[in-house]
Amino acid sequence: MAAVEVHQFAQCITCHAWSADRSMIALCPNNNEVHIYRLSQDKWEKVHVLQKHDQIVCGIDWSARSNRIVTASHDRNSYVWNQEGSEWVPTLVILRLNRAALCVQWSPKENKFAVGSGAKTVCICYYEQDNNWWVSKLIRKRHDSSVTSVAWHPNNILLATTSTDGKCRVFSTFIKGVDTRDSKAGSVSDSKFGEQIVQLDLSFSWAFGVKWSPSGNTLAYVGHNSMIYFVDDVGPSPLAQNVAFRDLPLRDVLFVSEKMVIGVGFDCNPMVFAADERGIWSFIRFLGERKSTLSGSRYSSQFSEAFGKFYGQSKSGASNDGIEPSRSRGGIHENCISCIMSLTESGSSRKTRFSTSGLDGKVVVWDLENQEDLSGYL
């Protein structure tokens, strides 16, 4: 099995993030605190508790080079934590929000971070040395509902967002004095702050979990209608694909290579999606299961599955509608997986190790290195 480590840190985990050397993990146990654990003699010990927020912390990101932690909370605040000696000291972030902050992520160069919110805005935050605080510029009047996820393009300028209005959007976040004009970035570095590059109207339901591929050529995000969307050539004429699956919706995604994506969500089991040599994306298998050798007649109807569950029956029969086979929910995780993080260095194009956390309070580390049927996509 691809799972190599399972750790029970709490009854419920909202989100988590790793230090650069992977020896420490920061997580929120579904309250207003952030707990930091350190690996010591094969045991995880709680070494710090970050207490500044008043409500649930819903976003954590740990910068690799600068060793700073940024947190976002439903209390409409965000803090940047710097380690000074043995203590973590918070720095104020001026968000100017009147609704909850929902997600946060450092930019690749770690000179900015983005905060999505329930106020239909995205805050792009940068440091002001004179005042010793982080200030924000807001992308307003672009979203029609809450911003559920943000993802930085490798060029440090473009930012992708998803929203409960069902749309995925890409914006320019160029800030004069913070970013530099780069000839390699082409027209992107010439665009103004907040300029919308593209709006994708592929989903008719809430949209979550957006990510860029390592090269920045492909964008993936998920909808609450049990679909995942892949977009190439993001710009005026994007090329889009969607993959529908029978199981419960996803909440987050991660590119492990240019041709493979891991999706996690309400099904409690990571799902593997991959692109063939023609660039056509499809669902491969669940990561917590062995690859099935059945075909054709293996499929079972969605109605009969629900009917069987109602009477507590286990189904092993087959019918002929073209939907993915029924199976028992979950595996290692026993509740919704809400967060997936890479455990490979950010500069690498192959991310064979990653971790997931969920509402069951577990953090699971997965390794794809020995998965022979998936090696062709890595």
Side-chain angles (χ1 to χ4, degrees), residues 50-325:
L50 309 184
Q51 296 176 310
K52 193 68 175 177
H53 290 287
D54 297 326
Q55 296 184 29
I56 288 178
V57 177
C58 51
I60 305 173
D61 201 13
W62 199 326
S63 60
R65 292 190 295 271
S66 57
N67 194 38
R68 292 187 297 230
I69 298 174
V70 61
T71 58
S73 167
H74 289 178
D75 63 7
R76 301 173 295 169
N77 290 320
S78 179
Y79 294 96
V80 175
W81 304 80
N82 296 275
Q83 191 170 20
E84 298 180 3
S86 60
E87 298 296 323
W88 287 90
V89 179
T91 304
L92 180 65
V93 181
I94 310 298
L95 288 183
R96 297 179 291 158
L97 292 178
N98 59 4
R99 296 291 187 276
L102 299 177
C103 53
V104 64
Q105 188 180 45
W106 284 106
S107 68
K109 293 183 179 179
E110 300 177 7
N111 59 346
K112 302 182 290 186
F113 62 88
V115 179
S117 74
K120 309 179 186 179
T121 60
V122 180
C123 306
I124 308 300
C125 306
Y126 59 96
Y127 186 65
E128 268 195 359
Q129 186 74 40
D130 296 340
N131 297 315
N132 188 31
W133 60 24
W134 292 76
V135 297
S136 63
K137 294 189 69 173
L138 271 58
I139 300 176
R140 300 177 183 269
K141 300 180 180 179
R142 297 291 188 175
H143 300 87
D144 297 322
S145 191
S146 299
V147 179
T148 57
S149 182
V150 294
W152 288 94
H153 189 278
N155 65 15
N156 207 68
I157 302 295
L158 294 182
L159 181 76
T161 68
T162 51
S163 172
T164 48
D165 62 11
K167 297 176 176 59
C168 177
R169 300 171 174 86
V170 178
F171 298 98
S172 168
T173 66
F174 184 88
I175 299 176
K176 188 177 181 180
V178 178
D179 299 300
T180 56
R181 302 285 181 183
D182 186 359
S183 58
K184 295 181 181 179
S187 59
V188 171
S189 61
D190 296 330
S191 54
K192 297 180 181 179
F193 177 86
E195 181 180 338
Q196 183 172 289
I197 307 301
V198 66
Q199 176 176 296
L200 302 168
D201 300 331
L202 303 178
S203 176
F204 295 99
S205 62
W206 299 341
F208 295 100
V210 62
K211 289 291 191 306
W212 294 91
S213 65
S215 67
N217 294 329
T218 306
L219 186 68
Y221 70 100
V222 299
H224 207 57
N225 53 352
S226 293
M227 295 186 75
I228 183 170
Y229 306 92
F230 300 93
V231 184
D232 295 309
D233 300 331
V234 176
S237 302
L239 302 175
Q241 302 177 45
N242 61 67
V243 178
F245 48 93
R246 170 181 177 167
D247 299 274
L248 299 179
L250 299 175
R251 282 300 307 267
D252 205 357
V253 292
L254 176 71
F255 274 91
V256 295
S257 71
E258 288 292 328
K259 298 194 298 181
M260 188 160 73
V261 164
I262 305 295
V264 297
F266 293 95
D267 226 280
C268 316
N269 203 340
M271 301 175 71
V272 182
F273 299 88
D276 59 18
E277 62 277 0
R278 299 170 299 165
I280 305 300
W281 289 86
S282 61
F283 169 66
I284 303 299
R285 68 177 173 93
F286 288 91
L287 200 54
E289 299 175 347
R290 296 182 182 274
K291 187 175 180 180
S292 174
T293 57
L294 300 176
S295 61
S297 63
R298 67 181 181 173
Y299 298 112
S300 176
S301 73
Q302 198 166 9
F303 175 79
S304 62
E305 178 187 13
F307 195 76
K309 282 184 176 180
F310 183 76
Y311 284 99
Q313 301 168 351
S314 60
K315 293 190 319 68
S316 57
S319 63
N320 57 2
D321 65 345
I323 309 177
E324 291 299 324

Side-chain angles (χ1 to χ4, degrees), residues 10-24:
Q11 289 186 335
C12 180
I13 294 177
T14 310
C15 50
H16 76 282
W18 295 87
S19 63
D21 60 0
R22 314 308 181 204
S23 65
M24 300 175 72

